[in-house]
Amino acid sequence: VCTGNTYVSYQWKVGGTGPCIQAKTAGDYFVSVTDNNGCKGGSNHLTLSNSTTQPATISPMGTTTFCAGDSVQVCSDNTFTSYKWNVGGTGKCIQAKGAGNYYVTVTDNNGCTVESNHVPMNVYPTLPVSFIVKGDTLRSFGSSNYNWYYNGTLVQSGPDSVFIAEGPGSYMLRITDVNGCQVFSNPI
């Protein structure tokens, strides 16, 4: 905030003795001045207000820990003019596809920016899935649900960890781990 003319001395209401001051807070700004002749005067009053930006809060639309390959939508709870997510993206919502902290920097219609809260996302570790082959018998361990595939088609599902091969071809196993994540073996 500056005076329009040059004077010998300046005394701002909020402190300061130069022709200009930095207005850092909302309030009433004016200055008392003295000219070359010792005459005193005062400026008009300038009232400044802060633009109040609403808080930028983000929330996951599901659990914050999920299986590899899955994702969880994370959205801003309020509407802003623009959004810039730390992981890329410029919409009100994004799909969190990996582990890490997610947050957004938003801009309101006054041009004010604010950073949202941080939401940590976690991905369950993927356990390797394998089975052993002994003759025509395929066997696996460590799950309560085994889905056996023969040439890409599901042929047996359930708690049985043993499968008798139906003939030559490609065999694969899909298990559901303790977190509910489904993991496939390599085909044999």
Side-chain angles (χ1 to χ4, degrees):
V1 176
C2 295
T3 61
N5 297 314
T6 303
Y7 298 97
V8 174
S9 70
Y10 307 85
Q11 184 59 55
W12 290 87
K13 172 191 172 198
V14 295
T17 57
C20 296
I21 61 166
Q22 283 295 116
K24 295 182 179 180
T25 60
D28 189 28
Y29 289 84
F30 65 92
V31 64
S32 298
V33 295
T34 304
D35 68 11
N36 297 0
N37 300 318
C39 297
K40 296 184 184 271
S43 70
N44 60 321
H45 290 251
L46 176 64
T47 303
L48 299 177
S49 62
N50 287 336
S51 175
T52 56
T53 302
Q54 58 185 329
T57 305
I58 60 172
S59 301
M61 302 295 124
T63 180
T64 58
T65 303
F66 49 90
C67 300
D70 290 346
S71 64
V72 173
Q73 188 175 49
V74 181
C75 294
S76 171
D77 293 344
N78 294 317
T79 302
F80 295 95
T81 303
S82 69
Y83 306 84
K84 185 176 180 186
W85 291 86
N86 68 309
V87 294
T90 57
K92 184 175 180 175
C93 299
I94 61 163
Q95 288 297 122
K97 296 179 180 178
N101 263 335
Y102 288 78
Y103 62 91
V104 65
T105 301
V106 297
T107 303
D108 67 12
N109 58 3
N110 294 315
C112 298
T113 61
V114 66
E115 185 177 287
S116 73
N117 58 310
H118 291 219
V119 174
M121 293 294 203
N122 300 295
V123 176
Y124 290 118
T126 302
L127 301 175
V129 177
S130 62
F131 55 92
I132 55 174
V133 179
K134 190 168 187 180
D136 66 350
T137 303
L138 312 175
R139 179 175 299 219
S140 185
F141 302 95
S143 179
S144 60
N145 189 8
Y146 300 88
N147 297 283
W148 296 96
Y149 290 80
Y150 174 53
N151 292 331
T153 302
L154 179 64
V155 290
Q156 180 178 312
S157 181
D160 198 353
S161 66
V162 176
F163 179 72
I164 305 301
E166 296 182 358
S170 174
Y171 291 89
M172 191 166 51
L173 172 63
R174 178 183 54 142
I175 65 162
T176 303
D177 68 15
V178 295
N179 299 312
C181 300
Q182 296 184 350
V183 185
F184 281 92
S185 71
N186 290 324
I188 294 180

